């Protein structure tokens, strides 16, 4: 495999990372076990299968291109490449831990640790349950190596074989000379002007989004670098019942549950929810799962104010639905939520030099992340042991105290919560509030 230059957004994720704010995403999967040795067997399988998955052998290496190459691709000067690691050893990445009574508590401590940047940036931690009846696997992938869709593909490669659609072959690219073809310059100029106009639109919308911010200190407390995670599963049929009764989409309901849970949690801890409307970033993938070349992050997003201060659950849901409808009408390429697309307009050297400076800018743009991670509807297994629960885990940006990820799997909705452990020591209470909010919506929908 030849070195593959990092896409601009991948490069941004690679350069904004710090020891206190690692930029890896994760997933905590819980499997049934038929014996106390099932976890050890699972670790052996993961280590044995990893070398056969090309993406798991890829490291990220900072590069300085030679002058001639830099002339042809000046935006790539000072960038990084994704390339095979000749020293790859799966035992450096798969680790079996001692039995535990709390998967989430152990996984939270593991999520604090940055991935080693000199090796392929991923890890799989196998956590046997103390009672021997189950085991969990915590997968960690650096966001520069994979987004949610790519991480799913990589994880599926080490689980038991599953029939997934094969990617289309990547089309051959014609050889390029040192200078661009002058015949393409008019189209490129029009595209550049269009992109510049879009960038200005996004920048202006992002600036306006910082006005009249009504958030809570609980969501934007000073970062400590510590991590705590929690998860909650709710019945997908209950979510569908609310959706059918009120209209909108499943995603509208799932976001409204977050808003209602935040209201309940803030009131219970004494912070108060009156007038609170935090800005939530809802990421939107700009590529399809079956694209031929899936490595690079292609993300945009919608920005919306969660109606936490609204006391009526159906009114909150209506406000979420209306905001999402407005975002969809405008499209994911414009508006304050599309700031990630601006990475395409920054030279690689700019990402390298400016990454540490802009890493704290996320708190000026949004207050919390609410992201959805797609999973296959088919049952997943590892060593014949069925996957029963899976909690997606999003990176926590500097200046943020909470990130929410959600996925649906086998009739259940799983919310994965990642928080700064010092700012949010009561994360389990927020997880319970998620389940309570679903019941509140169900009650409100009954005649």
């Amino acid at each position: 495999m030849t070195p593959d230059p990092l896409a601009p957004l991948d490069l941004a994720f690679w350069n904004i990372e710090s020891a206190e704010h690692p930029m890896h995403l994760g997933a905590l999967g819980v499997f049934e076990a038929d014996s106390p040795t099932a976890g050890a067997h699972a670790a052996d399988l993961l280590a044995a299968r990893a070398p056969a998955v090309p993406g798991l052998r890829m490291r990220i290496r900072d590069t300085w291109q030679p002058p001639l190459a830099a002339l042809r691709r000046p935006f790539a000067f000072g960038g990084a490449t994704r390339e095979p690691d000749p020293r790859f050893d799966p035992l450096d990445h798969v680790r079996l831990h001692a039995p535990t009574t709390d998967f989430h508590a152990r996984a939270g401590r593991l999520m604090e640790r940055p991935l080693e940047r000199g090796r392929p940036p991923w890890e799989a931690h196998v956590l046997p349950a103390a009672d021997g009846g189950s085991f969990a696997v915590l997968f960690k992938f650096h966001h520069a190596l994979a987004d949610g869709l790519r991480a799913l593909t990589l994880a599926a490669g080490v689980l038991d074989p599953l029939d997934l659609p094969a990617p289309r072959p990547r089309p051959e690219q014609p050889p390029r000379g040192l200078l661009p073809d002058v015949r393409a310059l008019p189209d490129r100029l029009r595209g550049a002007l269009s992109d510049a106009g879009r960038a200005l639109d996004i920048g202006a919308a992002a600036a306006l989004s910082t006005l009249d911010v009504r958030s809570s200190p609980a969501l934007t407390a000073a970062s400590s670098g510590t991590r705590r995670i929690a998860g909650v599963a709710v019945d997908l049929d209950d979510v569908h019942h609310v959706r059918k009764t009120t209209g909108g989409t499943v995603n509208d309901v799932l976001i409204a549950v977050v808003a209602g849970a935040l209201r309940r949690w803030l009131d219970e801890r004494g912070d108060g929810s009156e007038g609170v409307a935090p800005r939530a970033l809802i990421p939107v993938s700009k590529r399809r799962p079956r694209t031929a070349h899936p490595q690079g992050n292609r993300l945009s997003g919608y920005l919306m104010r969660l109606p936490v201060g609204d006391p009526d659950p159906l009114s909150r849901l209506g406000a979420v639905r209306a905001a999402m409808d407005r975002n969809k009408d405008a499209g994911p390429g414009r508006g304050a939520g599309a700031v990630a697309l601006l990475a395409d307009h920054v030279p690689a050297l700019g990402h390298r030099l400016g990454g540490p400076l802009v890493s704290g800018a996320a708190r000026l743009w949004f207050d919390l992340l609410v992201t959805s991670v797609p999973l296959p509807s088919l049952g997943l297994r590892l060593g014949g042991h069925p996957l029963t629960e899976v909690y997606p885990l999003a990176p926590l940006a500097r200046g943020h105290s909470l990130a929410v990820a959600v996925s649906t799997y086998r009739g259940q909705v799983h919310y994965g919560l990642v928080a700064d452990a010092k700012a949010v020591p009561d994360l389990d209470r927020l997880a319970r509030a998620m389940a309570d909010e679903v019941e509140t919506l169900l009650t409100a929908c009954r005649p």
Side-chain angles (χ1 to χ4, degrees):
M1 299 178 66
T2 58
D4 181 32
L6 257 63
L9 190 54
D10 297 342
L11 194 60
F13 287 133
W14 188 245
N15 283 289
I16 65 176
E17 180 175 65
S18 66
E20 295 78 20
H21 298 89
M23 289 305 298
H24 53 252
L25 49 85
L28 181 66
V30 180
F31 297 81
E32 289 183 1
D34 53 12
S35 73
T37 61
H41 178 55
D44 290 341
L45 281 176
L46 293 173
R49 292 171 176 174
V53 182
L56 296 180
R57 304 175 64 94
M58 304 296 281
R59 66 178 178 177
I60 295 175
R61 187 171 67 89
D62 293 325
T63 61
W64 292 95
Q65 294 188 323
L68 287 179
L71 284 175
R72 180 165 56 84
R73 301 181 67 249
F75 264 48
F77 182 68
T81 60
R82 192 183 291 105
E83 59 184 43
D85 184 356
R87 302 170 300 167
F88 175 72
D89 185 345
L91 296 181
D92 292 333
H93 302 267
V94 179
R95 295 157 194 177
L96 176 65
H97 294 259
T100 181
T101 58
D102 190 335
F103 293 143
H104 287 93
R106 179 69 64 83
R109 292 191 291 272
L110 293 171
M111 285 293 287
E112 290 181 8
R113 305 175 187 174
L115 294 164
E116 187 170 328
R117 293 170 71 92
R119 296 198 295 239
W122 68 275
E123 292 173 353
H125 297 270
V126 181
L127 313 173
D131 62 6
S134 62
F135 66 89
V137 179
L138 172 66
F139 286 103
K140 294 169 55 178
F141 296 97
H142 198 286
H143 217 328
L145 179 71
D147 61 6
L149 290 173
R150 177 65 173 165
L152 170 62
T153 303
L154 294 175
V158 291
L159 299 180
D160 292 354
L162 182 66
D163 292 331
L164 291 175
R168 295 187 294 255
R170 187 180 183 184
E172 291 291 332
Q173 297 293 328
R176 292 184 296 181
L178 180 62
L179 297 176
D181 185 347
V182 295
R183 292 171 297 180
L185 290 179
D187 288 340
R188 292 189 181 186
L189 180 59
R190 282 192 292 268
L193 291 174
S194 176
D195 288 345
R198 186 179 299 112
L200 289 173
D201 175 81
I202 293 171
L208 289 174
S209 73
T210 64
L211 302 177
D212 190 29
V213 175
R214 292 174 293 158
S215 186
S216 168
L219 300 177
T220 55
S223 301
S224 69
T226 59
R227 293 292 181 270
R228 185 184 300 273
I229 74 170
V232 61
V234 299
D235 197 316
L236 182 58
D237 285 342
D238 291 341
V239 175
H240 277 301
H241 177 76
V242 174
R243 177 192 63 80
K244 291 176 182 177
T245 303
T246 61
T249 68
V250 166
N251 201 43
D252 295 339
V253 178
L254 298 180
I255 296 171
V257 167
V258 175
L262 286 173
R263 175 183 175 81
R264 188 185 303 265
W265 174 66
L266 290 173
D267 287 343
E268 287 179 353
R269 73 198 317 251
D271 290 344
S273 61
E274 184 178 356
V276 173
R279 299 161 299 172
L281 177 64
I282 317 293
V284 178
S285 176
K286 295 284 286 180
R287 63 175 175 83
R288 296 172 182 169
R290 299 176 69 176
T291 50
H293 192 52
Q295 286 93 336
N297 276 284
R298 291 296 300 162
L299 292 173
S300 183
Y302 298 139
L303 195 67
M304 63 176 296
R305 292 188 182 273
L306 292 181
V308 172
D310 191 332
D312 183 85
L314 294 184
S315 177
R316 286 195 297 269
L317 176 53
V320 167
R321 185 169 65 246
M324 287 299 290
D325 286 345
R326 288 192 299 270
N327 277 315
K328 292 172 186 175
D329 288 342
R334 291 189 178 276
V339 166
L341 297 180
L342 297 182
D344 293 342
H345 300 271
V346 179
L349 187 60
H351 285 296
R352 175 174 290 191
L353 299 178
L357 299 176
V358 303
S359 60
R363 67 185 304 171
L364 302 177
W365 173 28
F366 64 97
D367 301 307
L368 78 157
L369 183 76
V370 182
T371 184
S372 178
V373 180
L375 290 176
S377 58
L378 300 176
L380 300 172
R381 294 175 177 268
L382 178 55
H385 301 100
L387 176 67
T388 58
E389 305 168 56
V390 57
Y391 299 96
L393 305 170
L396 194 61
R398 183 187 300 273
H400 288 169
S401 302
L402 176 68
V404 180
V406 58
S407 64
T408 57
Y409 176 72
R410 308 289 283 177
Q412 295 284 307
V413 176
H414 294 97
Y415 283 96
L417 312 179
V418 178
D420 184 284
K422 292 186 178 179
V424 188
D426 55 345
L427 188 63
D428 289 340
R429 182 185 295 181
L430 177 58
R432 290 193 297 271
M434 297 275 189
D436 292 341
E437 182 62 16
V438 174
E439 291 300 322
T440 297
L441 285 167
L442 282 171
T443 299
C445 289
R446 293 190 183 108

